[in-house]
Amino acid sequence: MDTLALVVTIGVALFFTYTNGFHDSANAIATSVSTRALTPRAALAMAAVMNLAGAFMGSGVAKTVSEGLIETPEGSKGMGILFAALVGAIVWNLVTWYFGLPSSSSHALFGGMVGAALAGGTTVYWHGVVDKVVIPMFVSPVVGLLAGYLVMTAILWMFRRANPHKAKRGFRIAQTVSAAGMALGHGLQDAQKTMGIVVMALVIADVEEYGDPIPVWVKIACAVMLSAGTYAGGWRIMRTLGRKIIELDPPQGFAAETTGASIMFGSAFLFHAPISTTHVITSAIMGVGATKRVNAVRWGVAKNIVLGWFITMPAAAVVAACSFWLVNLAFL
C-alpha cells in the first residue's frame, strides 16, 4: 500500500506540473503571440524547450518547497496530506483555466500544502510561508509594475529618434529572445516547485533522506511534464494576458518579457523564493502599458486578475483540507 501511495502521489504531482504548464504557458509567450513576433505554435514549441532547460538550472526553489513551508509529515497520513495538497492545487488550476483567469499555480500549490497540513495536524512553518510566499506575493507585482514602467520609459527615450517601422521590426526579432528568457525563468521556477513535492513524497516513503540532493530522474520527469503541458497550450489565458489587459506592440512586449524574466531569475538565484510567474508578467504588462497613458490599461480586467490572486491561496487551501478529510475517511 505504501508503494502504491507513493506512486499515486508522484503521478498526481506530475499531473499538477502538466496543468501548471498549460495554465502558465501564456505567461511566457502571450506577449510575443499578441504582437505577432511569433506564431502560436512556434512560441509554444520554443517555450516548451526553454521550460525543459530552465528546470535544470538550480534547486533553491525546490528546497524551499520541500523543507521551508510545512514540516515533512510521516507515514501514510503524510502521503495523504501531500496527495490532498496536490488535489487542491489541481482543482483550483482547472477552475481558473476554465474561466480564463491567470491565477497563480504556485500559490494554488502553496495554499494546498498549508490547507492539507492544517487539516492533517502537521506543523506549518508560518515564518517560511510569510517570508518565502506571502511577502514575495505582494512585492513581486509591485516590482514588476515599477520595473516594467521604467524599462519601457528607457526604451521610449533611447529610440525616440528611431524610425518607428524599423524599430518595431527590430523589437519583434528581439522578442524571440525575451520570450525565451521568460520561458527559461518559468522552467527554473515552476518545475522546481513540483520537484520539491516529489522529494517530500520520497522522504515520507523512506526512499530518500531529508536534505538529500534531488534525484536526476525527478528533475527529468518534472521538466518533461511541464514542457508537455506548456506545448498543450493555454489559449484561454493567453487571450486575457495578450489582449484584454492592453493591446501590446513589439517594444512593449519586449519590455514586459525582459522585466518578468529578470525578476524570476533574481528571486530564484538570490532569494530561493518561489514567486508566481503569473503575478510578475501580468504586473510588468500593466507597468509597460501605463507608459502610454494610465487609462490605456484596462484596469477592470486587471482588477479581476488581482482579485484572483488574493482568492487563490485560501481557495486552494479549503479544497485541499476537504480532500484530506475525504482521503482520511476512505483510506487512513
Side-chain angles (χ1 to χ4, degrees):
M1 181 62 191
D2 285 350
T3 307
L4 178 62
L6 175 64
V7 170
V8 168
T9 303
I10 291 174
V12 174
L14 293 176
F15 179 67
F16 166 75
T17 309
Y18 182 83
T19 66
N20 189 345
F22 77 67
H23 193 278
D24 288 2
S25 58
N27 298 343
I29 60 174
T31 48
S32 305
V33 173
S34 72
T35 61
R36 296 182 175 79
L38 293 167
T39 64
R41 280 289 162 220
L44 283 167
M46 181 272 294
V49 170
M50 288 298 177
N51 273 182
L52 194 66
F56 291 93
M57 288 178 64
S59 58
V61 171
K63 195 173 176 64
T64 295
V65 172
S66 64
E67 299 174 15
L69 303 180
I70 64 171
E71 183 182 24
T72 303
E74 295 178 354
S76 56
K77 181 183 170 188
M79 208 63 83
I81 287 171
L82 274 195
F83 177 81
L86 289 161
V87 169
I90 290 167
V91 167
W92 187 248
N93 263 1
L94 294 175
V95 167
T96 50
W97 168 79
Y98 180 79
F99 290 107
L101 193 67
S103 73
S104 166
S105 296
S106 310
H107 292 124
L109 178 62
F110 305 144
M113 288 173 72
V114 169
L118 290 173
T122 292
T123 304
V124 175
Y125 299 141
W126 290 110
H127 62 91
V129 172
V130 170
D131 290 351
K132 297 292 188 182
V133 178
V134 177
I135 290 174
M137 180 169 88
F138 286 102
V139 171
S140 60
V142 174
V143 173
L145 191 76
L146 292 174
Y149 183 87
L150 292 173
V151 169
M152 191 63 217
T153 302
I155 286 171
L156 289 170
W157 187 81
M158 285 162 65
F159 290 88
R160 65 193 183 284
R161 294 196 179 90
N163 177 303
H165 183 69
K166 277 186 181 172
K168 278 190 179 178
R169 197 167 62 213
F171 275 109
R172 198 165 270 138
I173 295 163
Q175 260 200 283
T176 56
V177 178
S178 58
M182 267 300 295
L184 201 63
H186 182 222
L188 171 67
Q189 279 278 346
D190 285 19
Q192 282 192 54
K193 289 160 192 167
T194 310
M195 287 178 207
I197 294 290
V198 174
V199 166
M200 280 182 90
L202 294 171
V203 170
I204 291 167
D206 285 331
V207 176
E208 289 273 313
E209 290 292 316
Y210 188 80
D212 278 359
I214 301 166
V216 174
W217 70 265
V218 173
K219 289 188 177 185
I220 292 170
C222 293
V224 167
M225 289 303 284
L226 186 72
S227 291
T230 296
Y231 192 69
W235 305 105
R236 289 170 185 267
I237 293 168
M238 209 181 293
R239 252 199 322 273
T240 301
L241 277 180
R243 290 286 167 86
K244 286 188 182 171
I245 297 175
I246 182 173
E247 296 284 344
L248 292 169
D249 62 21
Q252 291 172 326
F254 174 80
E257 288 168 345
T258 303
T259 300
S262 303
I263 294 169
M264 281 192 285
F265 283 114
S267 61
F269 289 126
L270 297 178
F271 307 110
H272 299 164
I275 62 163
S276 165
T277 52
T278 312
H279 289 193
V280 168
I281 190 62
T282 308
S283 56
I285 289 171
M286 290 181 202
V288 163
T291 57
K292 214 182 228 179
R293 57 184 192 284
V294 173
N295 63 357
V297 178
R298 297 186 183 110
W299 294 105
V301 175
K303 184 186 76 179
N304 291 342
I305 291 169
V306 172
L307 280 175
W309 294 353
F310 283 107
I311 295 166
T312 292
M313 275 187 76
V318 169
V319 176
C322 294
S323 302
F324 177 76
W325 290 321
L326 289 173
V327 169
N328 201 25
L329 277 174
F331 301 108
L332 302 180

